[in-house]
Amino acid sequence: MIQFQQVSKKYNDQFVLEDFDISIKDGEFFVLVGPSGSGKTTTLKMINRLIEPTDGDIYFNERRLIDYPLKELRLTIGYVLQQIALFPNLTVAENIELIPELKQWSKAQRRARAEELLEKVSLSPKEYLHRKPAELSGGEQQRIGILRAIAAKPDIILMDEPFSALDPISRGQLQLLIKELHKELATTIVFVTHDMNEALLLGDRICVMKEGKIVQTDTPEAIRNNPANEFVAQFFQQEQSPLASYFAEDLFKAGLLETAHISDGKAVALDTPLSVLIQLLAAGTAVTLVEDGTVLGQITDHTVLRFLETMMEKGDQ
Ligand code: ADP
Ligand code: MG
């Protein structure tokens, strides 16, 4: 259904993706997993043409992506981001009905769909249809974000670390939900995560990426039993080390960042492992957390130490 043929992407003469060949099957739950900066978001955004390749071709149902009208393509592809992107001034119903409306479904059809979907995720339509996003918890907002993406029955759903900003419980609930919805809808899902456990849990097939290259593409069982190389094997172990299960995002969520208005020193993303932050700080580099062009704050030695102290206080190190 989606095919990358020798796709490369360069920024300033530097490869971000190199000779990328993947073939995603119709109805497949396909997971891209890899450390921060390995090119996952870039790959995903190429599928709905938010980013164009420098070289190579991408096919969707045997037709080149660039031969589709952009509007048709965007309506065919649902997109869920890590940061909940509900429209704050629209109600839950209006948010869910947005794409169906663009696809010119009738008012009655749209409302019936919104109600059906809310019931699927155990939110009572009566209670939730008319709420604004601010009146929902983070987990509920992300649930609505997923419903909005699937409301108009897209052929493909792209998800970029959709659960990584949630607490472990909401995260577990939504992992189950998306797995169930996938089974039920038989839609193709392309899902990005930096968490190997999440990849193994969700994927029909997993593509492990490193520095813009594919390291291994296979089923969870095959990857678990036969990691292609040391990097893949390490990637599992990393998940088991307590320090390696923390990311810049955890410092951010703990409210420990210092204010920064411009990106100072090295810009890192939310999914940068704590171990990498520690290496950077130890080398005397100033570190700023930036996500999608927004500066979220400064990470200093103090931030990291304070975070580790909090973990130890909780007996959670
Ligand atoms: P991931 O999602 O796996 O963390 P990305 O696809 O966001 O990785 O980025 C891959 C690499 O491309 C990173 O090194 C990043 O810094 C770089 N990159 C992404 N967007 C741009 C851009 N607009 N200009 C220059 N470099 C970029
Ligand atoms: Mg990313």
Side-chain angles (χ1 to χ4, degrees), residues 11-12 16 34-43 51 160-161 192 269 271:
Y11 287 114
N12 315 316
V16 171
S36 178
S38 53
K40 306 181 295 294
T41 296
T42 304
T43 307
I51 295 178
D160 197 349
E161 313 226 8
V192 163
D271 57 357

Side-chain angles (χ1 to χ4, degrees), residues 173-192:
Q173 285 173 340
L174 288 183
Q175 286 170 340
L176 275 179
L177 168 71
I178 197 67
K179 206 57 188 155
E180 283 168 11
L181 286 174
H182 175 251
K183 245 187 254 155
E184 202 176 306
L185 302 170
T187 320
T188 308
I189 297 183
V190 188
F191 188 103
V192 163

Side-chain angles (χ1 to χ4, degrees), residues 43-77:
T43 307
L44 200 69
K45 284 184 170 172
M46 282 184 178
I47 298 174
N48 63 0
R49 287 185 52 200
L50 285 171
I51 295 178
E52 301 284 359
T54 315
D55 270 308
D57 279 308
I58 303 171
Y59 291 83
F60 171 41
N61 289 338
E62 264 103 71
R63 184 174 162 200
R64 287 193 313 173
L65 269 189
I66 48 169
D67 295 332
Y68 282 86
L70 207 52
K71 183 165 174 234
E72 181 190 329
L73 199 67
R74 297 272 163 83
L75 288 179
T76 314
I77 301 178

Side-chain angles (χ1 to χ4, degrees), residues 267-284:
V268 298
L270 284 170
D271 57 357
T272 309
L274 185 57
S275 54
V276 172
L277 296 175
I278 293 172
Q279 281 166 7
L280 287 168
L281 292 167

